[in-house]
Structures are given as C-alpha cells and as structure tokens.
Amino acid sequence: MSTRDEPFSAGHDVSGVTADGAAWLASAGTYPRSTLSFWEERPAAPVVLPCGAVFDVVSAPAIFGRRMLDRLWEEGPGSGPVAMLRGRVLLFAAPGTAQRLPSLLRWEEFGRTGAIPPLLCHGTGDAVTVPAPLSRANTAPTARWLVAPDTRHPWLPGPEILLWAAVRAARAAVRISIFPPADQDAKVYDVSRRR
C-alpha cells in the first residue's frame, strides 16, 4: 500500500483517495482488511459499505447536491468526502445525521415549498456504494469522488450544517425580486431626460 500522503496506488488516474482515506472507508465495513485487500487487487472497483457507525450519507439530486457543495465550500466550513453516483451527490456526514436531518427539514417547513428536493438519508441499517479509490482515465465511471477522503479521521458535517447548506442551495436556486413582474401591455416612458 502507498505511504500516507500518496494516492492509493500508481498506474491510474488518481481520484485523490490516499491510503489513509481508503483505510477510513474500509473501517466502515465488517472486514476492513478484506476490503483493503480487494482494493489492492482491483483499485478501480467500487464497493458497498454500511452506514451508521463510521459515517452517514445524505444523497441529493446531482444539481441540487452540487449547489449544496458549493454553499459548503464558498460560504461555510467545507465538506467531508463527497461522491457522485448515478446522477446523485453523496455527502458523507457524521453518524446520526441520517436520523436527525429529515426532522430538521420538516421543522424548517421547506419540504412543503418544494424548494428542497427529497434528500435520501442513509444511516444505521443502510449501505451505500462507495466509489473506487482510483479511476481510469479512459472510462466514464458511474461512481467517482468529488471530494476524496484523504485522512483516517476526516471532518464530517452534522445535520445542522447540511440543513444550512440545503436551505442556502434552495435560496440560491430561487431568485426573489422585490419588484413586481413587468406588465407586458404597459406603456414605458423614458424619464432619464427630464427638463
């Protein structure tokens, strides 16, 4: 296996997952050493890992998830690992987030307005497909890392931070104007040249 700061292995386009990041991911499974051995043999293969003990995952539609990620990095504290899988953004979160976030969203009453699309929360008892530590340059993977895990103890956002990001992403998507829409039949006068 690679050293701590190097990519997982050589010979591929690197997704950014380090040996420590791969070890952290593998620690979520029942048999971490088996997962790491599997990745040594097949570094471009995704695996399914359980949620709830090491991380939870919040899955958002691709465009909204990218907006959330933008808010987290531009206006907030950043994010933990983030992956893209089959048209959805997977935000890795602190354990317990999957249980708490839906009630926070209901409390904020944003579910009623439709501004925040349904977020799938995966926690204890759930499992998710995790992208491979490496991706090949000549393939278009269905699973890839947007923010790769690079330490054994990555920072993971909790439910309050993800709620904040979802609310900000929803507000960014909805443009609100204090001016009423223009009346199409109204006469427009140029008042810039007054006498």
Side-chain angles (χ1 to χ4, degrees), residues 114-158:
I116 296 178
L119 302 177
L120 306 176
C121 298
H122 305 284
T124 304
D126 298 325
V128 295
T129 300
V130 174
L134 300 176
S135 60
R136 296 183 188 275
N138 58 355
T139 62
T142 59
R144 62 188 170 92
W145 289 104
L146 300 177
V147 179
D150 59 358
T151 70
R152 285 188 185 265
H153 304 287
W155 177 78
L156 299 172

Side-chain angles (χ1 to χ4, degrees), residues 57-69 81-92 101 105 116-122 127-131 141-147 166:
V57 172
V58 175
S59 173
I63 293 173
F64 190 78
R66 290 301 291 249
R67 286 184 186 138
M68 285 179 67
L69 188 58
V82 180
M84 185 81 162
L85 176 69
R86 295 184 192 106
R88 295 193 67 90
V89 172
L90 306 178
L91 297 137
F92 285 69
L101 184 59
L105 287 167
I116 296 178
L119 302 177
L120 306 176
C121 298
H122 305 284
V128 295
T129 300
V130 174
T142 59
R144 62 188 170 92
W145 289 104
L146 300 177
V147 179

Side-chain angles (χ1 to χ4, degrees), residues 20-41:
D20 283 348
W24 172 74
L25 286 169
S27 73
T30 307
Y31 304 103
R33 287 188 295 183
S34 295
T35 301
L36 289 173
S37 294
F38 175 76
W39 273 334
E40 281 293 326
E41 292 173 20

Side-chain angles (χ1 to χ4, degrees), residues 105-123:
L105 287 167
R106 281 191 300 276
W107 179 75
E108 285 286 332
E109 297 182 313
F110 277 96
R112 184 166 45 126
T113 65
I116 296 178
L119 302 177
L120 306 176
C121 298
H122 305 284

Side-chain angles (χ1 to χ4, degrees), residues 63-72 74-75 110 113-117 163-177:
I63 293 173
F64 190 78
R66 290 301 291 249
R67 286 184 186 138
M68 285 179 67
L69 188 58
D70 288 346
R71 298 292 70 80
L72 285 166
E74 291 173 7
E75 302 170 16
F110 277 96
T113 65
I116 296 178
L163 171 69
W164 173 87
V167 169
R168 291 287 179 123
R171 287 182 185 163
V174 177
R175 302 281 186 230
I176 299 173
S177 174

